[in-house]
Every structure is written in C-alpha cells, then in structure tokens.
Amino acid sequence: MIRCLVSILSLLMLASSLPAFASKHKTIAQHQDTALIKNAIENFLYNNTATLSGQVIVNVGQIDRHLALPQCPHLEPFVPTGGRLWGKTSIGVRCDSQVAKWTIYVQTEIIIMTNVLHIARPVAAGQTIAYEDIAPQNVNLTQMPEGIFTDVAQVIGKVTTANLTAGQPLRPQMLRAPYVILRGQTVNLVVQGRGFSVRSEGQALADASEGQVVQVRNKSGRIMSGLARINSIVEIQP
C-alpha cells in the first residue's frame, strides 16, 4: 500500500513539472538560431559579389550566442549606410515582422583573390612596358591600392613615368600612354568643320599622347590648342 502511494505521488509530481519544462523549452525554441543568421549573411554576400572577377571568400565574424533575439520568420541582411561589399566591413541583419522586430550588425570580411600585375624586373623611366616586364601574382585585391592593374592589355605598350623595381604592383601613376607628338616637332594642323577641311603647319610646344590637348604655334606665331593625333596631326576645333 505504501509503495502504491509513493508511486502515485511521484507521478503527480512529474505531471506537475511537465508544463514548466515544456514552457521553458518552448521559450528556448523561440530564440533566433545564430547559425541561421550567419548563413543568411554568407548567402547575401556571395550572391552580391558573384559578378566580381576572382575568387571570393567570405568570413563572417562571431555572433554573440547569448543574444536572446526573438525567432524571425524572415531574416533580411543589408549593407549599412556608407558601407560596401569590400574587405573588412559590417553587415546588418534585420527582422521586421509581426512577431519580432530587431536589428543587429555583424563584422565580416570579403576577400577577393585575383591576379594583380607586378613588375618582374627593374624597368627604367621612359621604357615601354613589354610582356617580359610584368608578372601576375595572386593576391587579395581588397588589400591593394585603388586602380591596380589586373589586365595585361591595360599596360602593354605604356611608358613608365619613373624607375620601377621588381616586385612592385603596377599602378596608374606609374605609366602613361606613349607620346604621338613631341615638343618642337613640326606638326600638321587640321581644322575640320562641316563640309570643309583646312591644313597648315605648326610647331608643337609640348609632348602629348593620343587625344591629349597640346599647344601649337602656327607659322604666323599664333598659339593654338588642339588634340594630338597619330601621324603628327593636331586636330583644331573650329
């Protein structure tokens, strides 16, 4: 009889504790899984960097596991104002639903591995760049200076503006287009308009690359400005 009473009391105590246990675990289940937040950020970043040239690698920082965020039916990653999908940055994740409203920010890093053109051997100022002068190196593009060259066609035939040493990454200010007009050179001045073309000779007052504005003194001593063209031509706008 005593054993029967003990068993009944144990069952009653267990039954009374079940609602509290279920309530507690229901609350835990309602908290947002941080792993899902991380996955949402990764998918967002990879989708929005798919058009970038090179291999994109995304590293999402740690999310505080103690965050008691309400569970969200739809996570919405976004780029904060002033941010960009490049290098070390912050990505926001918001929840804007009837059951939960919150926003957090997570530190991330976007790495873009691609071939960047470097100087393969010492090159003197004024030298025309050839294929033998450059060597591609696979580096993280987000850690390189702005405007760095990745396409061989952008540098071959260009002229160096300074002495370059082996291992330097090529930057725009290191190169210029070759001159098509030289200072002191006799040039052909061409004035073209609708239905007419006038040609005369002059003397270039500066060096100029294709399409650059250059000043020319004509035979009468008048100084004129025009666009440098190949074959010693300076195009004067009427």
Side-chain angles (χ1 to χ4, degrees), residues 6 61 102 152 229:
V6 171
W102 49 260
V152 174
R229 302 299 185 193

Side-chain angles (χ1 to χ4, degrees), residues 160-186:
T160 56
T161 58
N163 295 330
L164 304 179
T165 58
Q168 282 185 277
L170 275 169
R171 302 174 66 180
Q173 58 266 39
M174 297 176 177
L175 303 174
R176 64 166 175 81
Y179 293 141
V180 295
I181 300 293
L182 299 177
R183 180 191 300 270
Q185 176 183 347
T186 299

Side-chain angles (χ1 to χ4, degrees), residues 10-91:
S10 298
L11 289 173
L12 290 173
M13 291 175 63
L14 178 61
S16 63
S17 65
L18 284 176
F21 179 83
S23 176
K24 179 181 178 182
H25 282 263
K26 183 178 180 181
T27 301
I28 294 175
Q30 288 178 341
H31 289 168
Q32 180 61 52
D33 186 350
T34 56
L36 295 180
I37 298 176
K38 182 177 180 180
N39 289 341
I41 294 174
E42 288 179 343
N43 292 334
F44 173 77
L45 294 179
Y46 279 120
N47 289 338
N48 285 276
T49 57
T51 58
L52 296 177
S53 59
Q55 179 190 5
V56 177
I57 302 171
V58 169
N59 293 325
V60 179
Q62 291 293 325
I63 303 174
D64 188 356
R65 295 182 179 179
H66 297 94
L67 286 176
L69 297 172
Q71 195 172 50
C72 185
H74 177 66
L75 297 172
E76 183 184 349
F78 64 94
V79 181
T81 302
R84 63 173 186 159
L85 300 180
W86 191 266
K88 291 184 179 180
T89 187
S90 178
I91 297 298

